[in-house]
Amino acid sequence: MRLPFVTLALSVLVGCLVLSAAPASAAPASAAPDGADLYSEPVVGLEAYAPGSILRRESVPQLDVLGSHTERILYRSADPRDRAVAVSGLLVTPTRAWSGPGPRPVIAYAPGSYGVADRCSGSSELGLTTTMPALLPLLAQGYQVVTTDYQGLGTPGEYEFLGRIASARAVLDSARAAAGETDAPVVLYGYSAGGVASAAAAELASIYAPDVSVVGAFVGAAPTDPVLRVEGQDGSESAATMLYTIGGLIGAHPDRAEQIRALFNDRGRAAIDAAQDFCTVDALTYGPLRSEDLTADGSSLGTLMTGPVLGPMTQENTTGFTAPVAPVMIVHGVHDTSVEIEQSRILVQRWRAAGVTDITVREFDFGTDLVPAFDHPAANVAAYPELIGWMDRLVTRA
C-alpha cells in the first residue's frame, strides 16, 4: 500500500505543478469584492477585529481542484509587538460533505520559502505553482486547508524570515480563520521553512491561541536553529538566502537597524539590501558568498549571530526549548543538502529535554544523494503514507 500511495502522490504533485502554472498566471490576485486590492489596501479599524477574522476574500475558481472551493483571504493577526496586522493566504474547502465525526478538520499549512520579496508569497502567482500541488493529498482526505503567506509577505509591513513569534501567530490565526466558530480539530503542517512555522505554532498554541483545537503538528526538514541554518548555507550556491535572516531582523527591530548594519562592510550591506527583493531563483543566480567577506571584522555570520548584537534576537527565533502540548511528527531526509538532518535531530533532543513524549520521528535514507533540486522535498512526499494515517487518527479521536 505504501509504494502505490507514494507513486500516486508523486504523479499528482507533478501533474498539478504543470496544470496549476497556467491558471495561476491567468488569474493573478487583483481585487476583493469591495473593489479594494486584497493585499495592499489598508483595512479600516483593523484593531477592532478579533485575531483570525477574515477581512477580505475572493474566489479563485481556476484553483478549484478535487471538488474544492478556493479563495484568497486576508485575515487579522498580531505581530510580535502585539500590533494588529493583516495577513494573506488561501482557504481551500472541499465541497462534498464531511463524512467523519464532528466538524471538518482543518490543516493549517505553512508554506516553505519561495523568497522574501512580496511577489514570492505562497498565494501569489509564483508561490501557487508549489503551494497548490502540496495540498492535493490533504484535500483528497476531505480536510479543509488554509495557508498563510506570513506577516509582511505580500502585504504591507516587514517580513521577518523564520521569525518564531510572527510565523507562529500567522499560522495559528489562519487556523482561526478556517475553523470559524466551530471546534474543528486542527493539524499544523509545515515543511522546510514552513516546518519552522509549524514547530513554533505548536510551541505557542496553548499561550497565543488556546481556543484553537490543535491536535498535532507535522514538522518536516525544518531549519529551527538559525545559526545552524546560516552555517549550512555559508559559501554554498544558495548562500544569499542566509541574508534573509539579517534583513528580517532589521525589519523586526528598526531601533537596532543601524547597529545591525554596522556589523557588515559596504559589500555586505549591499548584499543584504539586494537580498530583500529575492525570490528563490534570484538567490541561486546571485552566486556563492562567504560571510567572512561581508562582515566588518571578518567574522563569520554564524559567529555574529551568537554575539552581543544578534545573539539575543537569534535566541528568540530558535525553536525547541518550549514543549508543544500536542503530538508531533518530525521527518527528514538523511541526504538533505538544503537543510541538514542535524537540524531535526537537535530539535528532537531539545523537545524531549523539554518534556515532550509524543514524538514520531522518521528519517528517510533513499540510498544515495538525489538530484540537488529534489533531495530536499523528497522526504515530504515519502512521508505521506504514514503521515495521512497519523493525521487521520489524531482528528478522529479529537
Side-chain angles (χ1 to χ4, degrees):
M1 292 295 292
R2 296 168 69 91
L3 183 58
F5 190 101
V6 173
T7 302
L8 173 61
L10 282 167
S11 300
V12 169
L13 291 177
V14 173
C16 188
L17 184 61
V18 174
L19 292 174
S20 66
S25 62
S30 54
D34 62 359
D37 180 79
L38 183 139
Y39 292 96
S40 62
E41 187 75 16
V43 177
V44 177
L46 181 59
E47 290 281 357
Y49 290 90
S53 298
I54 296 180
L55 309 169
R56 297 187 184 122
R57 61 203 312 161
E58 62 181 24
S59 297
V60 192
Q62 294 89 340
L63 300 180
D64 290 348
V65 295
L66 298 182
S68 64
H69 175 58
T70 302
E71 301 171 284
R72 284 191 179 92
I73 61 171
L74 192 73
Y75 63 93
R76 198 264 206 198
S77 189
D79 72 9
R81 289 158 293 285
D82 295 323
R83 297 175 301 190
V85 292
V87 182
S88 55
L90 291 174
L91 181 61
V92 190
T93 307
T95 54
R96 66 184 183 279
W98 170 246
S99 60
R104 186 189 303 275
V106 170
I107 308 298
Y109 181 90
S113 175
Y114 314 125
V116 294
D118 282 344
R119 67 182 187 280
C120 318
S121 67
S123 71
S124 68
E125 176 183 343
L126 180 62
L128 284 172
T129 58
T130 302
T131 300
M132 286 303 295
L135 306 186
L136 293 184
L138 309 174
L139 294 171
Q141 298 300 117
Y143 301 142
Q144 184 182 45
V145 180
V146 64
T147 77
T148 181
D149 289 338
Y150 304 114
Q151 297 182 10
L153 188 58
T155 48
E158 299 296 335
Y159 171 45
E160 187 179 3
F161 179 70
L162 301 183
R164 179 174 176 267
I165 296 176
S167 61
R169 290 183 172 186
V171 171
L172 292 167
D173 284 325
S174 75
R176 282 172 162 148
E181 300 300 318
T182 73
D183 191 32
V186 173
V187 177
L188 310 172
Y189 185 116
Y191 197 85
S192 190
V196 177
S198 179
E203 290 188 344
L204 300 179
S206 62
I207 301 171
Y208 178 71
D211 53 303
V212 177
S213 301
V214 175
V215 298
F218 170 70
V219 179
T224 52
D225 189 302
V227 176
L228 290 180
R229 179 192 177 274
V230 163
E231 291 176 342
Q233 298 298 311
D234 205 344
S236 72
E237 292 184 355
S238 58
T241 65
M242 67 184 176
L243 301 176
Y244 294 172
T245 299
I246 303 304
L249 291 177
I250 291 173
H253 301 274
D255 57 319
R256 308 289 298 278
E258 291 307 314
Q259 191 176 14
I260 296 172
R261 292 179 66 86
L263 298 173
F264 299 86
N265 57 30
D266 289 343
R267 183 187 175 194
R269 288 189 287 269
I272 291 170
D273 293 340
Q276 299 317 297
D277 193 42
F278 281 178
C279 293
T280 301
V281 173
D282 304 306
L284 294 175
T285 57
Y286 193 75
L289 295 170
R290 291 178 64 254
S291 63
E292 291 91 340
D293 298 330
L294 308 178
T295 59
D297 64 359
S299 299
S300 71
L301 183 52
T303 298
L304 290 182
M305 291 177 69
T306 60
V309 177
L310 298 181
M313 305 176 199
T314 300
Q315 188 64 26
E316 290 174 358
N317 288 328
T318 302
T319 306
F321 298 106
T322 301
V325 296
V328 294
M329 175 182 281
I330 299 175
V331 307
H332 213 129
V334 171
H335 299 291
D336 191 334
T337 57
S338 296
V339 179
E340 295 182 354
I341 195 170
E342 192 64 20
Q343 288 267 17
S344 286
R345 291 172 176 171
I346 290 176
L347 178 62
V348 171
Q349 293 171 6
R350 287 173 174 168
W351 269 347
R352 284 179 173 160
V356 181
T357 57
D358 197 341
I359 304 180
T360 301
V361 181
R362 294 293 179 264
E363 295 183 358
F364 292 92
D365 187 344
F366 301 104
T368 183
D369 291 348
L370 298 179
V371 177
F374 297 99
D375 67 349
H376 182 51
N380 193 22
V381 177
Y384 272 128
E386 183 176 3
L387 172 60
I388 293 296
W390 179 78
M391 290 193 297
D392 185 58
R393 290 190 294 274
L394 291 177
V395 300
T396 299
R397 73 188 190 202

